[in-house]
Amino acid sequence: MKTTLIICIFALSFGALYTSKDTEANSLVMLTDSVKIDPVCKMKVKTSSNLKSTYQKQEYLFCGKGCKLKFDKNPEQYLKK
Ligand SMILES: [Zn+2]
């Protein structure tokens, strides 16, 4: 639960930087640089996403809250090959 709280605080502060550009269309324009793979559903996620978790010092990005919650509950399951 502590981890979730920290992530929430991080997400809030990160989100505050982008409050004026919070739409899907705008973030697409902003983030043409790089993408990471959502470990849960294997979708490509822009590195500017604020849906992220850190597990074993490695940062993971998610396409949506659902995937992030699944990962937070059981990271090992999604990191196994
Ligand atoms: Zn996903």
Side-chain angles (χ1 to χ4, degrees):
M1 271 306 145
K2 203 184 259 182
T3 314
T4 310
L5 185 65
I6 291 166
I7 290 163
C8 284
I9 291 166
F10 180 78
L12 283 173
S13 52
F14 188 85
L17 297 171
Y18 294 98
T19 39
S20 57
K21 308 208 178 242
D22 208 19
T23 66
E24 199 69 26
N26 275 329
S27 49
L28 281 173
V29 173
M30 275 164 55
L31 302 169
T32 48
D33 48 352
S34 55
V35 292
K36 281 192 171 183
I37 303 298
D38 180 330
V40 178
C41 67
K42 313 298 181 196
M43 261 180 65
K44 286 178 184 167
V45 184
K46 288 159 281 175
T47 51
S48 56
S49 167
N50 57 10
L51 286 163
K52 57 177 85 173
S53 284
T54 303
Y55 180 70
Q56 293 183 344
K57 300 186 180 173
Q58 186 72 40
E59 198 169 70
Y60 299 96
L61 294 170
F62 307 94
C63 66
K65 275 183 192 166
C67 285
K68 182 176 152 24
L69 287 173
K70 281 188 201 170
F71 182 85
D72 286 344
K73 267 189 186 172
N74 195 357
E76 302 281 352
Q77 183 184 329
Y78 300 104
L79 300 179
K80 275 180 203 157
K81 293 276 156 71

